[in-house]
Amino acid sequence: MIEQRLSELRNEIPKDVTLVAVSKTKPSSNIQTAFDAGQRIFGENKVQELVTKHEELTDEIQWHFIGHLQSNKVKYIAPFVEMIHAVDSLKLLKEINKQALKHHRTIDCLLQFHIAQEDSKFGLDFESAQEILTSREFVEMQNINVTGVMGMATFTTNEEQIRDEFQNLENYFNVIKSHYFKFNNAFKHISMGMSGDYKLAIEEGSNMVRLGSTIFGER
Ligand SMILES: *Cc1c(COP(=O)(O)O)cnc(C)c1O
């Protein structure tokens, strides 16, 4: 079942779109199945759950942390996490940099933008993102790479609204790219799209989708 869904998705999703398999709440055996079917990138949103699964599974997995991350928990995932999707403050970025330095690593980070109309979703507005990117502290950080942006659309059946929100995120990406990362090829990811809206997201410029239930079944 998991193998079949993955192979269908690989045929469906364009080659330049990275698939993050969101395995939260699912057992390590499901992750192993997906790994054996060729999937390498997995996303988790709880620190303890990620640490446990990292211990149980092969080091060949590239772990992405996709949830809201508290600064005091960065230290638990810094030794191994590949990418942190939901960076929404300079404070968090500084802590990631500090912990990555301790482990002689560089951690890829995405700036999370608030694009949904719901208050409950975390994320930066454009101005605060600019404040981070222009701060001297940011410029001096050696152990993080900001490699793109991430966002979540409103949970709604209104397609136009979802498209608008994804367009906003793509816009933020383009403006930030041209202002701050023009000659930096590593700044390239637009992480948007989940099981319910990834097709729209890809049409609106996503190149990284985070899919859970459509691969592993309902949670
Ligand atoms: C759970 C989660 C997903 C995946 O959700 P599905 O609807 O199961 O595909 C994607 N992104 C984030 C941030 C999540 O927390």
Side-chain angles (χ1 to χ4, degrees), residues 20-25 43-45 65-68 85-86 112 150-152 155 191 193-198 209-219:
V20 179
V22 176
S23 45
K24 64 188 188 195
T25 79
E44 290 284 338
N45 72 340
F65 192 80
I66 61 169
H68 183 66
H85 281 236
Q112 181 182 14
M150 177 269 201
M152 276 188 270
F155 189 70
S191 167
M194 309 176 23
S195 293
D197 56 19
Y198 72 93
V209 291
R210 309 177 308 270
L211 304 185
S213 46
T214 193
I215 298 171
F216 297 107
E218 293 300 324
R219 287 180 297 273

Side-chain angles (χ1 to χ4, degrees), residues 41-215:
I41 304 177
F42 292 87
E44 290 284 338
N45 72 340
K46 294 273 184 339
V47 167
Q48 187 50 56
E49 186 176 346
L50 172 53
V51 168
T52 304
K53 287 173 171 173
H54 170 256
E55 282 167 5
E56 287 173 0
L57 290 153
T58 165
D59 282 339
E60 284 171 64
I61 289 176
Q62 296 161 38
W63 293 105
H64 286 200
F65 192 80
I66 61 169
H68 183 66
L69 180 58
Q70 287 172 290
S71 297
N72 61 358
K73 293 192 175 167
V74 173
K75 57 177 177 282
Y76 301 114
I77 60 172
F80 64 88
V81 74
E82 193 86 14
M83 184 183 284
I84 296 176
H85 281 236
V87 175
D88 61 358
S89 72
L90 181 60
K91 178 177 175 238
L92 177 58
L93 209 48
K94 278 161 69 176
E95 181 63 15
I96 297 168
N97 186 62
K98 180 176 148 191
Q99 296 298 332
L101 174 63
K102 271 193 194 164
H103 297 281
H104 313 287
R105 305 185 65 233
T106 305
I107 297 176
D108 288 347
C109 295
L110 305 179
L111 296 178
Q112 181 182 14
F113 281 90
H114 181 95
I115 54 170
Q117 271 170 14
E118 299 150 3
D119 304 334
S120 61
K121 302 219 166 139
F122 296 99
L124 297 159
D125 58 30
F126 190 67
E127 237 188 334
S128 10
Q130 278 186 306
E131 275 169 28
I132 293 175
L133 294 167
T134 53
S135 69
R136 190 154 64 92
E137 286 163 300
F138 171 73
V139 175
E140 288 174 354
M141 288 181 201
Q142 300 282 330
N143 293 74
I144 51 111
N145 268 331
V146 171
T147 61
V149 301
M150 177 269 201
M152 276 188 270
T154 304
F155 189 70
T156 171
T157 53
N158 183 343
E159 265 195 26
E160 275 316 300
Q161 184 181 347
I162 297 172
R163 279 188 196 278
D164 278 352
E165 293 173 0
F166 285 151
Q167 281 166 16
N168 281 340
L169 186 61
E170 199 205 12
N171 231 6
Y172 292 152
F173 172 86
N174 287 331
V175 176
I176 289 174
K177 172 88 184 159
S178 66
H179 278 62
Y180 306 103
F181 297 96
K182 199 163 185 178
F183 303 106
N184 180 343
N185 292 330
F187 187 86
K188 62 181 179 190
H189 295 121
I190 305 179
S191 167
M192 61 185 189
M194 309 176 23
S195 293
D197 56 19
Y198 72 93
K199 290 175 193 172
L200 296 179
I202 292 169
E203 284 173 21
E204 300 302 338
S206 170
N207 56 24
M208 185 173 268
V209 291
R210 309 177 308 270
L211 304 185
S213 46
T214 193
I215 298 171

